[in-house]
Amino acid sequence: MAYNLQPLITILEGILDPHQPRWIVDENNPQLQSLFDKATSLQKLLHSNSSFTKLDTQIREVTHQAEDILESHMVHHMLSGSDCVRFTLSTPDLQQVTRHLDSLMEQAEKLLEMGDEKMLRELDSAIEQLKLVDKKMPSSSSSSSKSAVVVGIDEDLMQLKDRLIGLQQKNLEIVPIVGMGGIGKTTLAQKLYEDPLIVDHFAYRAWATISQHYNTRQILKSLLRCITGQEFDKHIDELKVMLYKSLFGRKYLIVLDDIWSTRFWDEIRMYFPDNNNGSRIVITTRESDVANYADSLSLQHQVRLLSEYESWNLLHQLVFGEEECPLVLQEIGRKIAKDCGGLPLAISVIGGLVSKMERSEDVWRKIGDNVIAAISGSDERCYSILSLSYNHLPNHLKPCFLYMGAFPEDYEISGPRLVQLWVAEGFVKSNGERCLEEEAEDWLKSLVERNLFMVREYNKYGKPKRYNMHDMLRDVCIRKCDEDKFMNGPNKFTFSNLRRMIFHRSDEMEDVNDSTDSMTLTRSVICIDFWSGFPSDAFFAARLLRVLDLMDMRFDSFQTVIFEFVNLRFLAVSCNSSIPRGISRLWNLQTLIAPNCEFDEPAELWKLSELRHLKVNGIELLKDEAMKYSVLKKLQSIVSVKVPKDEATSLDGFLKSVPNIKKLFIIDSLRTTFTAIDLSYLHKLEILKLGCMRAISSPNGFGHCFTVIFACNIRKLYLYRCEMILGAWRTLCALHKLEVLMISFCSCDEEWELADRDVFPSLQFLYLKDLRIVHWIADETNFPRLRHLRVYYCEDLEEIPSGIGEIPTLQLIELVECSESAVASAERIVEEQSENGNNDLKLRILQKHDDDDDE
């Protein structure tokens, strides 16, 4: 990959920041500024043209050298014990790195000036060679799609044929077929293109394969050849006019296979006339945003992976045809098919391999021991096809894609954790208006839209929660990591001083234990699926670590050697003891995840000025009013804080110290007496959980209550073991952006009556859990946008208000352990809606439910 210089740029930005309190940058400032300017210029050049593969190794080495000089210097001074130091570096070191960057800039500019045409010729040649291996251009006389073995697409064909020849749409319609590489988009399009009904329905049909580096003139010639049966050798502008005239007034079907670029669509779209006669354009693409760009109103047909049954059916046909599979091979054969992950390309490759081998259990079991390795070793076609998606990525997304290679097969990682790791690694650059996490979340969404990451789990609000990668793409990822020395692959420790070391088993650490030097420049250590133990002795030499993820390991006590890793940005640890004094030494720390830990000296946390995310076991606020909180402008999420008894001033002082907080959990386990909690100045607060609060009321409440003045931008609100009294409901109605409201184990009146003016204008999800409500009086006007209503363990509730069924957006009513009368009322609501033609409303009744707040 064209190496991402963003981590180096991030380091330099931190050093040169005039507001940072750690360093005094004096005589080195011009050199550092020059280094920053040159790195930024080179990065821009690489972003504008990602084809500088010949420079990859040099760029990586120079960038790593610069990072090592800078971070080694910072860590040395931090460990020396000095609170404030002058940032003084060896001028020759800086000059050497700067000269290397100058040289790389010159080489890159020469490649742009001299090599554009040559590079394009090489790319065209490579693409043509790939097309020879993977022929995808059907013609009217081609029998390739007819002879191809396909399964599992009958339903897709029916749906798509209906869209192509259905009478409901006369206007020209774009029909996008979307999915990851190798999933069968082209095969599906071929079946449609040659289907007899389609052939009879359209007067003219034309097919063109676009690919990443397309030639518009050749595409136009291909389309005209299909339409007219003639070969034209004219200027591109003449060909465009001819295409338009050839299609004008006629019913046509155009298939544009393998589109990667919105630029191509802009270039050719105007030459497909809308004849208002049911003409159609089918496009196949790996990228959802390209399909959406072509027609944002057209429904994308997402090609799914094959089921286990369909996978075995396809493998069986490829290997045995009409013959029966011997019983002795069926079990291992089904496993081989399953391990292909439903990807037709992978099944086709493994099918071709085993069809040529001896039909014996021993031989098949050797294949079944590692199907992905067998596919990779037997056919480079699969790797080449899938690699196209990686090669097409913009440079800033390539390290984010490669990072998924750190996790085992089928491992599912949460979105926030992945985003926080990317930020800690320094991959992400803010555009100035948005925070790093918002930018990274868009990048994650982009990788999903490009069909490179898969959403494996959604939360109860329908939002993506956990992600992983198809095994075949993971194989591409690991091989690219190996090529670029991005991280060690599984069981591979062949390179010394790798930047990222990933361990999936404790015995893997023994491979590096003998060489302390092997990890002196390591920046990341991630341990997955560990249950005990601690990293090897070599691990202690990794003084430049940015990421230390030990969340899957279990310790009896916190390892204080971690305090030596003063360069850490991300720390995740799980242990059964408290964290001793010393955490404030980790001055660079951005994310701290220690959900089971308390702190011997919690006040140290509030000295971490770079802190962005904190997830701990109820960190206590300062009790001494004289102690002032540092203003933590970068802190965005805290789970959770405990309020000291009778210390309302501590909470007020703390809230003023986190002006940009977005997610906040406050637990009042000691039943503190408040008069008010004022959150109104937390303008970025979106997710709030209040636990064990003595009472919540409106501003007109009585003396034994306290008032919560909520932030106006709250979208999700969780109330847990609070007292809901007086005007509390009306207070919540005033939160006009509130989308999710969960109320659990809260004490409240037996009657909950909402007046006409009590409206939750944006509420989509309402969860009531273990409440003592008996009578609930409300109707559709109180919840105009409600989608899901879930009532858990409200055994006293007599019925669901009948007016709830009239909410036009309501999709689901879910009851768990509720009274028979409440269940009966819900059943009546759904039945009445069904009789009125509303079949979208569903009812789900469960006896038990393992609830998850999805915070």
Side-chain angles (χ1 to χ4, degrees), residues 441-626:
E441 285 166 5
D442 278 355
W443 294 7
L444 178 57
K445 181 180 178 182
S446 179
L447 287 164
V448 172
E449 290 175 344
R450 292 168 184 265
N451 289 286
L452 292 172
F453 287 4
M454 296 187 293
V455 180
R456 302 305 298 183
E457 182 182 351
Y458 292 85
N459 64 20
K460 65 181 65 171
Y461 324 120
K463 303 294 185 182
K465 182 179 179 182
R466 306 186 73 83
Y467 302 80
N468 75 352
M469 174 183 284
H470 190 279
D471 289 346
M472 289 303 304
L473 279 171
R474 182 175 176 273
D475 178 66
V476 171
C477 189
I478 290 171
R479 291 173 66 172
K480 292 292 184 182
C481 285
D482 195 18
E483 292 171 12
D484 296 332
K485 299 184 181 181
F486 185 81
M487 67 175 70
N488 66 289
N491 302 311
K492 289 184 181 179
F493 296 89
T494 54
F495 303 112
S496 61
N497 287 322
L498 274 171
R499 311 301 272 194
R500 298 170 187 86
M501 301 292 283
I502 314 302
F503 302 96
H504 295 172
R505 302 188 314 273
S506 57
D507 61 349
E508 290 177 343
M509 289 185 177
E510 297 174 4
D511 296 332
V512 295
N513 196 32
D514 296 334
S515 176
T516 301
D517 293 339
S518 65
M519 295 185 69
T520 54
L521 300 179
T522 299
R523 294 307 200 276
S524 303
V525 171
I526 300 177
C527 299
I528 305 294
D529 290 341
F530 278 52
W531 291 101
S532 61
F534 196 69
S536 67
D537 293 340
F539 166 85
F540 300 123
R543 293 296 176 89
L544 301 182
L545 279 182
R546 297 175 191 155
V547 170
L548 180 56
D549 191 342
L550 307 177
M551 198 61 222
D552 286 353
M553 302 178 74
R554 300 291 182 270
F555 310 122
D556 291 330
S557 60
F558 184 83
Q559 304 293 311
T560 55
V561 69
I562 291 174
F563 294 151
E564 300 297 307
F565 304 137
V566 294
N567 199 41
L568 274 183
R569 271 77 165 168
F570 180 100
L571 173 61
V573 63
S574 178
C575 63
N576 299 322
S577 67
S578 61
I579 295 180
R581 179 178 297 184
I583 195 74
S584 60
R585 298 186 68 188
L586 306 182
W587 65 281
N588 247 332
L589 199 62
Q590 297 174 349
T591 297
L592 174 58
I593 301 174
N596 301 320
C597 297
E598 296 185 351
F599 292 81
D600 290 347
E601 192 65 42
E604 282 194 273
L605 284 173
W606 314 123
K607 299 177 182 178
L608 299 175
S609 60
E610 297 297 314
L611 201 61
R612 306 175 75 89
H613 305 281
L614 178 63
K615 186 173 183 178
V616 295
N617 183 23
I619 184 71
E620 286 197 20
L621 300 180
L622 305 177
K623 294 184 179 181
D624 188 347
E625 187 179 352

Side-chain angles (χ1 to χ4, degrees), residues 267-286:
E267 191 174 346
I268 204 168
R269 169 66 183 91
M270 68 184 69
Y271 302 103
F272 298 124
D274 184 354
N275 301 317
N276 197 32
N277 61 359
S279 293
R280 300 287 184 262
I281 300 174
V282 173
I283 66 172
T284 74
T285 180
R286 304 185 189 193

Side-chain angles (χ1 to χ4, degrees), residues 195-361:
D195 185 278
L197 285 175
I198 300 297
V199 173
D200 290 342
H201 186 76
F202 293 99
Y204 293 89
R205 294 176 304 126
W207 178 294
T209 300
I210 313 306
S211 298
Q212 284 179 281
H213 303 279
Y214 59 87
N215 184 315
T216 304
R217 186 169 180 273
Q218 293 300 322
I219 291 169
L220 291 168
K221 290 175 65 176
S222 174
L223 292 173
L224 284 166
R225 188 187 313 118
C226 292
I227 295 168
T228 67
Q230 301 178 41
E231 191 75 39
F232 296 96
D233 188 15
K234 296 180 178 293
H235 187 272
I236 187 171
D237 291 335
E238 294 178 280
L239 293 173
K240 289 176 179 178
V241 173
M242 289 181 66
L243 176 64
Y244 185 87
K245 290 181 176 179
S246 298
L247 296 176
F248 186 79
R250 293 163 175 168
K251 182 183 288 189
Y252 60 85
L253 169 66
I254 303 293
V255 177
L256 301 175
D257 183 38
D258 199 22
I259 293 185
W260 294 78
S261 168
T262 59
R263 182 166 58 89
F264 168 76
W265 182 250
D266 285 336
E267 191 174 346
I268 204 168
R269 169 66 183 91
M270 68 184 69
Y271 302 103
F272 298 124
D274 184 354
N275 301 317
N276 197 32
N277 61 359
S279 293
R280 300 287 184 262
I281 300 174
V282 173
I283 66 172
T284 74
T285 180
R286 304 185 189 193
E287 307 201 6
S288 297
D289 61 335
V290 172
N292 188 60
Y293 184 85
D295 189 343
S296 60
L297 300 178
S298 183
L299 179 66
Q300 297 180 17
H301 186 92
Q302 194 79 32
V303 184
R304 60 179 178 82
L305 294 165
L306 299 180
S307 67
E308 290 183 25
Y309 170 80
E310 291 166 339
S311 298
W312 168 237
N313 189 7
L314 176 57
L315 182 63
H316 183 281
Q317 291 188 48
L318 288 167
V319 177
F320 299 103
E322 299 300 321
E323 299 178 32
E324 288 293 324
C325 173
L327 287 175
V328 70
L329 297 180
Q330 286 194 14
E331 181 182 353
I332 183 62
R334 291 179 186 277
K335 179 186 180 301
I336 291 173
K338 177 183 177 182
D339 287 353
C340 290
L343 189 66
L345 174 63
I347 299 169
S348 297
V349 172
I350 202 70
L353 176 65
V354 298
S355 65
K356 301 171 185 175
M357 305 183 76
E358 180 186 345
R359 294 181 181 181
S360 71
E361 187 176 7

